[in-house]
Structures are given as structure tokens and as C-alpha cells.
Amino acid sequence: MQDSSGLHICFDPAGREIEILDVTPVGKDKYRIEETPIFNPGVTMGDIIRVKEELGIYYYQETLQKSHFKRYAWLLSKEAVDSAAISAFKKRITENDGKCEQIFGGLLVIHIPKNTLIDVDGEMNRIIERF
């Protein structure tokens, strides 16, 4: 398997919104997304996409395979983000083959296999109630 690297990906055909995303090449013009895109909520970590390169910019063409992850997201206060409860929950997610991202400081995104036994919503709701 090749290492992931940053790629300039444009999800807007007019070329106005370009993100640098970590991706792993999986074939000619095919990449697995290794983080959450901001400009396309329909594409998520773990999706395999096809792109078309023009002058160093890779234009999204289609999603070839959806991720095996289910995505959850919460906008949290700084107090919640920095809490021991969130830290422990993120550790539990990664121990169960999931991944966690913090975007812009307070946006917590969790990616967990669709067949997980963890009640992600329930556990996060119990944590959030404390703040």
C-alpha cells in the first residue's frame, strides 16, 4: 500500500473551492480519502473517488466506493473538546477501529465501522449533557 499524501482536490467544476486532502492512491486517477472534506459533505473519509488532473489540480469526478465508516459530527464548546470525557471517548473509538478528527477546533467528527456495537449518539449525548 502506498503512503498517503496531500492532494489539491476541487469539488466545484468552476474551480472555486480547492482543498488539500490526505489521500492514498489506489489506482490510476483513483484515491481513498483519508480525512473529511469540508467542501463536499457527500464525500467522507474512506471513500474511493475518481479524479481528473488539470494543471496540478485534481477535479472530483465521482465516488467509486463508499466508505465502510458511519460518520457522526458535533460542534462542541472548548470546555467539552478539552474534557477528559471526550478524550476517553475518542480513545474508545480508535480502539474499535474508528477514527476521530477535530476540525476548526470545535467540530468533532467520528468515523466508525458501520457494524460497531458502540452507541455513538447515545454516549456522546451523555457526555454533552455535562457541558
Tab-separated table of all heavy atoms in Angstrom, residues 32 40-49 60 62-69 71 114:
chain	number	residue	atom	x	y	z
A	32	ARG	N	-8.246	6.981	-2.181
A	32	ARG	CA	-9.057	6.832	-0.975
A	32	ARG	C	-8.855	8.095	-0.134
A	32	ARG	O	-7.734	8.504	0.141
A	32	ARG	CB	-8.661	5.601	-0.169
A	32	ARG	CG	-9.573	5.400	1.047
A	32	ARG	CD	-9.253	4.141	1.856
A	32	ARG	NE	-7.881	4.149	2.307
A	32	ARG	CZ	-6.948	3.278	1.903
A	32	ARG	NH1	-7.232	2.333	1.043
A	32	ARG	NH2	-5.716	3.362	2.357
A	40	ASN	N	-17.412	19.168	0.366
A	40	ASN	CA	-18.333	18.198	-0.225
A	40	ASN	C	-18.807	17.240	0.856
A	40	ASN	O	-18.138	16.251	1.161
A	40	ASN	CB	-17.669	17.422	-1.363
A	40	ASN	CG	-18.659	16.559	-2.105
A	40	ASN	OD1	-19.634	16.067	-1.551
A	40	ASN	ND2	-18.410	16.353	-3.386
A	41	PRO	N	-19.979	17.512	1.439
A	41	PRO	CA	-20.475	16.636	2.509
A	41	PRO	C	-20.864	15.236	2.030
A	41	PRO	O	-21.039	14.337	2.831
A	41	PRO	CB	-21.691	17.392	3.052
A	41	PRO	CG	-22.107	18.297	1.950
A	41	PRO	CD	-20.864	18.638	1.174
A	42	GLY	N	-20.956	15.049	0.718
A	42	GLY	CA	-21.297	13.735	0.180
A	42	GLY	C	-20.110	12.796	0.088
A	42	GLY	O	-20.277	11.614	-0.175
A	43	VAL	N	-18.911	13.318	0.297
A	43	VAL	CA	-17.694	12.503	0.272
A	43	VAL	C	-17.152	12.472	1.692
A	43	VAL	O	-17.140	13.483	2.385
A	43	VAL	CB	-16.648	13.100	-0.700
A	43	VAL	CG1	-15.344	12.336	-0.632
A	43	VAL	CG2	-17.192	13.111	-2.117
A	44	THR	N	-16.722	11.309	2.135
A	44	THR	CA	-16.259	11.175	3.504
A	44	THR	C	-14.985	10.343	3.583
A	44	THR	O	-14.587	9.706	2.594
A	44	THR	CB	-17.376	10.572	4.390
A	44	THR	OG1	-17.014	10.700	5.755
A	44	THR	CG2	-17.651	9.131	4.049
A	45	MET	N	-14.377	10.360	4.758
A	45	MET	CA	-13.171	9.577	4.992
A	45	MET	C	-13.416	8.117	4.626
A	45	MET	O	-14.415	7.530	5.030
A	45	MET	CB	-12.768	9.663	6.466
A	45	MET	CG	-11.566	8.804	6.824
A	45	MET	SD	-11.257	8.715	8.596
A	45	MET	CE	-10.627	10.346	8.896
A	46	GLY	N	-12.504	7.568	3.843
A	46	GLY	CA	-12.605	6.166	3.451
A	46	GLY	C	-13.230	5.944	2.082
A	46	GLY	O	-13.108	4.861	1.519
A	47	ASP	N	-13.907	6.959	1.531
A	47	ASP	CA	-14.472	6.829	0.185
A	47	ASP	C	-13.343	6.729	-0.833
A	47	ASP	O	-12.274	7.328	-0.665
A	47	ASP	CB	-15.316	8.047	-0.193
A	47	ASP	CG	-16.669	8.101	0.504
A	47	ASP	OD1	-16.997	7.168	1.264
A	47	ASP	OD2	-17.393	9.088	0.278
A	48	ILE	N	-13.587	5.980	-1.895
A	48	ILE	CA	-12.660	5.929	-3.016
A	48	ILE	C	-13.287	6.745	-4.144
A	48	ILE	O	-14.436	6.507	-4.522
A	48	ILE	CB	-12.370	4.484	-3.455
A	48	ILE	CG1	-11.650	3.757	-2.309
A	48	ILE	CG2	-11.549	4.461	-4.746
A	48	ILE	CD1	-11.380	2.300	-2.549
A	49	ILE	N	-12.510	7.729	-4.616
A	49	ILE	CA	-13.021	8.638	-5.639
A	49	ILE	C	-12.169	8.569	-6.901
A	49	ILE	O	-11.016	8.133	-6.867
A	49	ILE	CB	-13.076	10.096	-5.128
A	49	ILE	CG1	-11.675	10.635	-4.826
A	49	ILE	CG2	-13.988	10.206	-3.912
A	49	ILE	CD1	-11.624	12.135	-4.565
A	60	TYR	N	-12.718	16.392	-8.800
A	60	TYR	CA	-13.558	15.257	-8.411
A	60	TYR	C	-14.490	14.916	-9.567
A	60	TYR	O	-15.158	15.780	-10.123
A	60	TYR	CB	-14.366	15.644	-7.164
A	60	TYR	CG	-15.447	14.656	-6.796
A	60	TYR	CD1	-15.154	13.507	-6.091
A	60	TYR	CD2	-16.776	14.889	-7.152
A	60	TYR	CE1	-16.141	12.601	-5.744
A	60	TYR	CE2	-17.776	13.987	-6.810
A	60	TYR	CZ	-17.446	12.846	-6.111
A	60	TYR	OH	-18.439	11.952	-5.774
A	62	GLU	N	-16.272	11.382	-9.520
A	62	GLU	CA	-17.321	10.531	-8.952
A	62	GLU	C	-16.768	9.737	-7.775
A	62	GLU	O	-15.566	9.579	-7.625
A	62	GLU	CB	-17.871	9.568	-10.001
A	62	GLU	CG	-16.843	8.551	-10.494
A	62	GLU	CD	-17.380	7.597	-11.530
A	62	GLU	OE1	-18.551	7.183	-11.427
A	62	GLU	OE2	-16.608	7.249	-12.456
A	63	THR	N	-17.690	9.252	-6.959
A	63	THR	CA	-17.336	8.338	-5.876
A	63	THR	C	-17.506	6.924	-6.412
A	63	THR	O	-18.596	6.554	-6.861
A	63	THR	CB	-18.239	8.563	-4.644
A	63	THR	OG1	-18.051	9.918	-4.192
A	63	THR	CG2	-17.897	7.598	-3.518
A	64	LEU	N	-16.438	6.165	-6.373
A	64	LEU	CA	-16.462	4.802	-6.883
A	64	LEU	C	-16.900	3.796	-5.825
A	64	LEU	O	-17.531	2.794	-6.143
A	64	LEU	CB	-15.079	4.418	-7.418
A	64	LEU	CG	-14.548	5.289	-8.546
A	64	LEU	CD1	-13.100	4.929	-8.847
A	64	LEU	CD2	-15.415	5.131	-9.787
A	65	GLN	N	-16.524	4.060	-4.579
A	65	GLN	CA	-16.860	3.139	-3.491
A	65	GLN	C	-17.025	3.940	-2.212
A	65	GLN	O	-16.164	4.733	-1.847
A	65	GLN	CB	-15.752	2.105	-3.319
A	65	GLN	CG	-15.998	1.088	-2.247
A	65	GLN	CD	-14.848	0.085	-2.161
A	65	GLN	OE1	-14.138	-0.162	-3.118
A	65	GLN	NE2	-14.673	-0.475	-0.988
A	66	LYS	N	-18.134	3.737	-1.534
A	66	LYS	CA	-18.380	4.424	-0.269
A	66	LYS	C	-17.583	3.747	0.849
A	66	LYS	O	-17.299	2.564	0.815
A	66	LYS	CB	-19.875	4.420	0.090
A	66	LYS	CG	-20.738	5.301	-0.803
A	66	LYS	CD	-20.320	6.758	-0.794
A	66	LYS	CE	-20.634	7.436	0.509
A	66	LYS	NZ	-20.134	8.822	0.577
A	67	SER	N	-17.268	4.531	1.832
A	67	SER	CA	-16.517	4.088	2.992
A	67	SER	C	-17.297	3.050	3.799
A	67	SER	O	-18.527	3.041	3.780
A	67	SER	CB	-16.244	5.307	3.874
A	67	SER	OG	-15.711	4.928	5.106
A	68	HIS	N	-16.571	2.230	4.549
A	68	HIS	CA	-17.216	1.293	5.467
A	68	HIS	C	-17.517	1.956	6.808
A	68	HIS	O	-18.013	1.329	7.727
A	68	HIS	CB	-16.354	0.039	5.659
A	68	HIS	CG	-15.097	0.269	6.437
A	68	HIS	ND1	-13.971	0.808	5.870
A	68	HIS	CD2	-14.803	0.051	7.735
A	68	HIS	CE1	-13.029	0.910	6.794
A	68	HIS	NE2	-13.496	0.459	7.938
A	69	PHE	N	-17.206	3.259	6.898
A	69	PHE	CA	-17.459	4.019	8.124
A	69	PHE	C	-18.839	4.685	8.109
A	69	PHE	O	-19.343	5.046	7.058
A	69	PHE	CB	-16.435	5.153	8.301
A	69	PHE	CG	-15.039	4.704	8.579
A	69	PHE	CD1	-14.009	5.022	7.712
A	69	PHE	CD2	-14.730	3.983	9.726
A	69	PHE	CE1	-12.707	4.632	7.975
A	69	PHE	CE2	-13.434	3.589	9.996
A	69	PHE	CZ	-12.423	3.918	9.116
A	71	ARG	N	-20.432	8.175	9.677
A	71	ARG	CA	-19.890	9.445	10.142
A	71	ARG	C	-20.863	10.129	11.088
A	71	ARG	O	-22.056	10.188	10.851
A	71	ARG	CB	-19.599	10.356	8.947
A	71	ARG	CG	-19.093	11.725	9.346
A	71	ARG	CD	-18.707	12.586	8.176
A	71	ARG	NE	-19.797	12.744	7.253
A	71	ARG	CZ	-19.681	13.305	6.062
A	71	ARG	NH1	-18.533	13.760	5.654
A	71	ARG	NH2	-20.725	13.417	5.279
A	114	LYS	N	-19.492	0.656	10.268
A	114	LYS	CA	-20.957	0.603	10.313
A	114	LYS	C	-21.480	-0.507	11.218
A	114	LYS	O	-22.571	-0.400	11.753
A	114	LYS	CB	-21.518	0.454	8.899
A	114	LYS	CG	-21.300	1.692	8.061
A	114	LYS	CD	-21.788	1.520	6.647
A	114	LYS	CE	-21.495	2.804	5.862
A	114	LYS	NZ	-21.782	2.655	4.454
